[in-house]
Amino acid sequence: MRIALMVIRLFLKAPYYLFRIWYCGVSKKISYEESFQVIKKVTKKANHAGRVEIKVHGLENIPDQDGFIFFPNHQGMFDVLVFLDSCPRPFSFVAKKEASNIILLKQVIRALEAYPMDREDLKQSLKVINAVAEDVKNGKNFLIFPEGTRSRMGNKLLEFKGGSFKSATKVKCPIVPCALIDSFKPFDENNIHPVVVTVIYMKPIYYDEYKGMKTVEIAEEVKKRIERTIAQYQNN
């Protein structure tokens, strides 16, 4: 219902926005950074039209130097929109293969040079891990959901997969845990009541801190930090 509300309230401008995002993906004249700003602007308008407010904490924790990876919990289809709305720095992301066939999402994936991953194809997944690592090495930022799929349990988390952190360990980049609260509500609840989604950008974990850890240990530590942060903000 909320997606329908967004479309209805932006009905006159929706074709223009879709065209701009499509053009960002096919034009060699538009940089990745410029594409990000276009998509960010459209996302903010869509969220406003959908009566979704994004509360942001911890922007000061985002590393000053590009070449880092955000690792948030995964609650629903709205999650990426939270980051596109709130993050001041350009980033791309890894999405499940099925998302590359959904209208608008596939245009965003192309415009931001994101990577669809087939979780059932280990060879293809390894190629994505290596490609992300190379991009991060060259100063691009990424968003990866270490649960692999949305939890469908509200603000409770699934297990984090160690393999999600291989791109980070390959290039020794900063790992930025992020906590999402109530991000499942905009698209997973069938209503159009005003809703508030909270995102907390947490202190980064630098290579010196995780260099002696296995990826499964990193995954467990990041999950614990996110769980503590969600509990802290829910109790305040």
Side-chain angles (χ1 to χ4, degrees), residues 180-200:
L180 289 170
I181 300 174
D182 294 341
S183 186
F184 62 93
K185 290 184 176 181
F187 289 166
D188 291 0
E189 292 186 349
N190 196 27
N191 63 65
I192 56 174
H193 300 310
V195 63
V196 176
V197 175
T198 301
V199 57
I200 304 103

Side-chain angles (χ1 to χ4, degrees), residues 167-185:
S167 295
T169 58
K170 277 180 174 289
V171 291
K172 306 175 183 179
C173 75
I175 290 170
V176 186
C178 302
L180 289 170
I181 300 174
D182 294 341
S183 186
F184 62 93
K185 290 184 176 181

Side-chain angles (χ1 to χ4, degrees), residues 169 172-173 175 205-215 217-218:
T169 58
K172 306 175 183 179
C173 75
I175 290 170
I205 305 173
Y206 291 98
Y207 178 67
D208 284 346
E209 184 177 352
Y210 71 76
K211 64 182 178 182
M213 302 169 67
K214 297 178 181 178
T215 54
E217 295 172 325
I218 298 171

Side-chain angles (χ1 to χ4, degrees), residues 39-85:
I39 293 169
K40 183 180 183 68
K41 182 177 180 180
V42 174
T43 299
K44 281 184 171 292
K45 289 183 178 297
N47 289 346
H48 178 72
R51 307 175 78 187
V52 183
E53 178 186 353
I54 310 296
K55 285 193 174 181
V56 190
H57 303 272
L59 287 176
E60 70 278 3
N61 291 324
I62 299 176
D64 294 331
Q65 185 175 348
D66 288 327
F68 54 82
I69 304 178
F70 294 122
F71 287 96
N73 54 313
H74 195 9
Q75 296 191 338
M77 292 177 62
F78 189 75
D79 295 351
V80 174
L81 298 185
V82 178
F83 288 91
L84 288 171
D85 186 307

Side-chain angles (χ1 to χ4, degrees), residues 214-232:
K214 297 178 181 178
T215 54
V216 290
E217 295 172 325
I218 298 171
E220 184 178 353
E221 177 61 25
V222 171
K223 181 189 176 189
K224 286 180 180 178
R225 295 189 185 192
I226 292 175
E227 286 178 326
R228 286 198 298 266
T229 299
I230 290 174
Q232 174 189 342

Side-chain angles (χ1 to χ4, degrees), residues 2 5 8 15 37 45-46 55 63 88 107 115 119 129 150 164 167 205 221:
R2 198 174 303 273
L5 176 65
I8 291 169
Q37 293 304 325
K45 289 183 178 297
K55 285 193 174 181
Q107 283 81 15
Y115 292 105
R119 291 169 293 179
I129 289 170
R150 47 187 169 166
S164 302
S167 295
I205 305 173
E221 177 61 25

